[in-house]
Structures are given as structure tokens and as C-alpha cells.
Amino acid sequence: MARAEVLIIGVSKQARRRGIGSILLKHAEEFAKERGAYCLFMMTYAEDYDVIAFYGKNGFIPVATLPDVYGQTLEGNVFLRKIIR
Ligand SMILES: CC(C)(COP(=O)(O)OP(=O)(O)OC[C@H]1O[C@@H](n2cnc3c(N)ncnc32)[C@H](O)[C@@H]1OP(=O)(O)O)[C@@H](O)C(=O)NCCC(=O)NCCS
């Protein structure tokens, strides 16, 4: 079965915290589901606590980390996944 991934998601600074990001994410979820994907992956910088909170609020679970992507002095990436039901 297929897996899907959203590479980039963004909402203008002045329009954040009004539910728009969640609507976009839900749309991506439905889009992937209709095409037979059983899960949706997201990836972000591991120190982006706000973004990780946003994904968590939307039901995404951290499933993997990849350290040293940006060098030894920075955090790497965290991968989050949601099983689409
Ligand atoms: C991440 C992003 C898309 C969220 O969009 P948004 O429209 O602000 O998100 P929502 O309004 O749907 O937020 C839903 C919930 O997520 C959580 N959340 C969202 N932004 C948050 C923040 N800055 N800090 C803490 N929690 C946050 C909250 O629980 C929020 O619910 P609440 O407002 O009722 O508390 C937006 O902040 C953004 O464009 N960031 C810059 C780009 C980026 O980093 N993209 C992700 C990596 S590709």
C-alpha cells in the first residue's frame, strides 16, 4: 500500500492560529486517502517545537529522527506520521 508525504506546508504569518493550517492538512489527508494511501508523512526541523505541536494537535505521531542533517551543531529532522482512517 502507498504512503504519502507533504513536503511543505505554510500559512502567512498574519493568518496563523486561525485553523487554516489544519484545514490544509485535512485536505492533504483526504487527497492522499482518496488515492489509496494508508498514511501521511510530514517532516520538520527537530527544534521547531511550534510546528511539532501543530502536527501533534492534528494527530501526527513522531516516528523517526535523522540527526546531523544540517551539521553537528544543529538538530536534524523529525518525521511524523498519521495513519489515515
Ligand atoms: C505550521 C503552520 C502551517 C501552522 O498553521 P496555522 O494556520 O497557524 O495552524 P492552526 O491555526 O491550524 O493550528 C492548529 C493548532 O496547532 C497548534 N499550533 C499551531 N501553531 C502553533 C504555535 N506557533 N505554537 C504552539 N502551537 C501551535 C495549536 O495547538 C493550534 O491550535 P490552537 O490555535 O487552537 O491552540 C504555520 O505556523 C506556518 O506556516 N509555519 C511556518 C512554515 C512551517 O514551518 N511549515 C512546516 C514545515 S514544512
Side-chain angles (χ1 to χ4, degrees):
M1 276 185 82
R3 293 178 293 175
E5 180 176 1
V6 171
L7 297 180
I8 296 178
I9 183 171
V11 172
S12 312
K13 268 193 182 140
Q14 64 273 20
R16 287 179 193 167
R17 298 305 287 265
R18 291 185 210 159
I20 297 169
S22 300
I23 291 169
L24 291 174
L25 214 44
K26 195 72 201 161
H27 177 72
E29 223 178 290
E30 292 302 323
F31 184 91
K33 190 176 175 179
E34 283 166 12
R35 284 157 184 79
Y38 77 95
C39 71
L40 186 59
F41 272 89
M42 310 296 295
M43 184 196 78
T44 195
Y45 182 57
E47 221 172 2
D48 275 346
Y49 306 116
D50 296 352
V51 178
I52 292 168
F54 165 72
Y55 289 143
K57 178 85 182 260
N58 283 285
F60 284 76
I61 309 294
V63 288
T65 54
L66 191 59
D68 298 338
V69 184
Y70 307 107
Q72 294 178 354
T73 57
L74 293 168
E75 295 299 335
N77 287 328
V78 58
F79 297 83
L80 302 103
R81 183 182 76 157
K82 183 172 183 176
I83 308 285
I84 304 170
R85 295 179 212 281

